Amino acid sequence: MAKIIDGKLISKQIKDELKEKVAALRAEGKEISLAVIQVGNDGASSVYVGNKKKACEYIGIKSLAYELPEETTEAELLELIGNLNNRADVNGILVQLPLPGHIDEDKVIKAIDPLKDVDGFHPQSVGALSIGQKGFVSCTPAGIIELIKRSGIDISGKECVVVGRSNIVGKPMAMLLLRENGTVTVCHSRTADLKAVTKRADILVVAIGKPKFITGEYVKDGAVVIDVGIHRMGVSESGKAILCGDVDYDDVEPIASAITPVPGGVGPMTIAMLMNNCVESVELQK
Ligand code: NDP
């Protein structure tokens, strides 16, 4: 029986720790604020933005909402980011992705001051991570490191395999595991014999975006399995969304020593680490 890594509980612990830090900063006269920009009204994005606002409220971070119409031009968005970069009372800037097709996402990410880049997507943040300098770290992989550590699992010297090489999950995940002294292998769609590689993993992180792709055949006995994937498979009779990950949970759970469920594993950690980055911004901006 695998230990279930409870992301809901761990994210709550982190948020409570942050709440205390924010209260202490406030007592010193320092208020933290996060600007959240959404362009258009994509349903999923609105849910994510709403959850971020709620988390800010819980922790005591002021959130400034910019809900811009779909037809906002790239120039208008860049101008807003420029203004927010210059405002001393704004600590973090987050642009909810994806943006409408007429706006160049890379240009927008690069326009954010790296000292306010709480999503950790700016090339300077990514570069800093890869050479071990201070900077913001992409929230989902940072959350996974917290999940592993707070579950009492040591990364140092372990064989770590990351499946997926996206800029927001796979690549920063590999860098973070390396920073923790794991021996890291990154797999992708061209990996010749995926099973042979994943079978070596003491810690297996899966971020491929394919429902239940990783079955027990891919997993070594006693491995720690982290499932980043999230897929909506339908709606239950009671109207709740049926979710699953990239890992076939029922098949893998009996083999693993520890595993993250979907939902309730990696998902809740992303927002907790965004809040953590907002709090850290105060230190970086000093
Ligand atoms: P991307 O689609 O950007 O990347 C998927 C990666 O998986 C690519 O590198 C791709 O390889 C690789 N891949 C695809 N098929 C295979 C295969 N058959 N074998 C090996 N590798 C394969 O996805 P993301 O990283 O953005 O997201 C991955 C999953 O995580 C999604 O389900 C997403 O919804 C979820 N997610 C969850 C978050 C959370 O907070 N819980 C946050 C972010 C994402 P190649 O590069 O060769 O194409």
Side-chain angles (χ1 to χ4, degrees):
M1 273 282 275
K3 171 191 165 87
I4 312 301
I5 299 178
D6 188 343
K8 240 175 153 174
L9 183 77
I10 296 174
S11 69
K12 169 87 168 49
Q13 286 164 354
I14 291 173
K15 284 194 271 186
D16 286 339
E17 290 163 16
L18 292 171
K19 199 173 179 173
E20 277 181 27
K21 278 192 194 167
V22 170
L25 284 166
R26 187 173 291 147
E28 292 168 18
K30 178 75 203 156
E31 195 79 47
I32 304 178
S33 78
L34 169 69
V36 181
I37 306 172
Q38 184 182 359
V39 184
N41 44 19
D42 173 70
S45 290
S46 299
V47 172
Y48 294 138
V49 166
N51 288 342
K52 286 166 190 173
K53 280 188 213 156
K54 254 192 249 162
C56 280
E57 224 168 87
Y58 181 76
I59 290 165
I61 293 173
K62 188 171 159 194
S63 68
L64 308 167
Y66 293 89
E67 280 147 23
L68 310 180
E70 180 87 21
E71 54 283 2
T72 302
T73 65
E74 187 179 281
E76 285 167 336
L77 180 56
L78 293 175
E79 193 188 338
L80 171 62
I81 293 172
N83 291 337
L84 294 169
N85 282 342
N86 292 330
R87 274 176 59 175
D89 65 326
V90 172
N91 301 95
I93 303 171
L94 182 149
V95 179
Q96 185 63 44
L97 302 178
L99 289 167
H102 63 278
I103 299 178
D104 181 344
E105 280 186 4
D106 283 343
K107 222 172 177 179
V108 169
I109 291 169
K110 274 194 206 146
I112 298 171
D113 181 342
L115 289 175
K116 298 188 177 185
D117 171 40
V118 285
D119 251 341
F121 295 163
H122 191 287
Q124 191 171 313
S125 307
V126 178
L129 170 64
S130 67
I131 57 173
Q133 289 184 356
K134 270 192 185 173
F136 293 109
V137 177
S138 179
C139 302
T140 303
I144 292 170
I145 294 291
E146 284 300 314
L147 276 184
I148 297 173
K149 284 187 171 176
R150 287 176 186 243
S151 302
I153 297 159
D154 194 15
I155 299 169
S156 181
K158 296 280 170 63
E159 192 78 57
C160 303
V161 174
V162 181
V163 191
R165 57 173 165 181
S166 70
N167 289 340
I168 60 165
V169 188
K171 282 183 198 148
M173 188 72 249
M175 296 310 305
L176 285 175
L177 289 165
L178 190 60
R179 192 166 85 177
E180 298 296 330
N181 300 314
T183 302
V184 184
T185 308
V186 183
C187 301
H188 45 77
S189 65
R190 312 285 177 90
T191 297
D193 187 353
L194 185 63
K195 256 181 219 170
V197 184
T198 57
K199 270 266 189 196
R200 293 205 309 257
D202 301 311
I203 299 174
L204 177 63
V205 181
V206 187
I208 61 180
K210 296 201 165 137
K212 300 189 183 186
F213 184 91
I214 296 292
T215 57
E217 288 184 323
Y218 287 79
V219 179
K220 178 168 98 174
D221 258 349
V224 173
V225 180
I226 309 290
D227 188 355
V228 187
I230 181 146
H231 308 278
R232 189 180 272 260
M233 303 304 280
V235 182
S236 73
E237 273 177 21
S238 60
K240 261 186 114 180
I242 301 169
L243 302 175
C244 81
D246 288 347
V247 173
D248 185 338
Y249 184 89
D250 294 334
D251 205 39
V252 170
E253 188 271 333
I255 302 166
S257 62
I259 187 167
T260 57
V262 177
V266 172
M269 295 301 290
T270 302
I271 288 185
M273 296 318 286
L274 171 69
M275 297 296 110
N276 184 61
N277 281 352
C278 291
V279 174
E280 277 190 358
S281 71
V282 175
E283 199 54 43
L284 276 174
Q285 286 159 15
K286 259 184 194 164

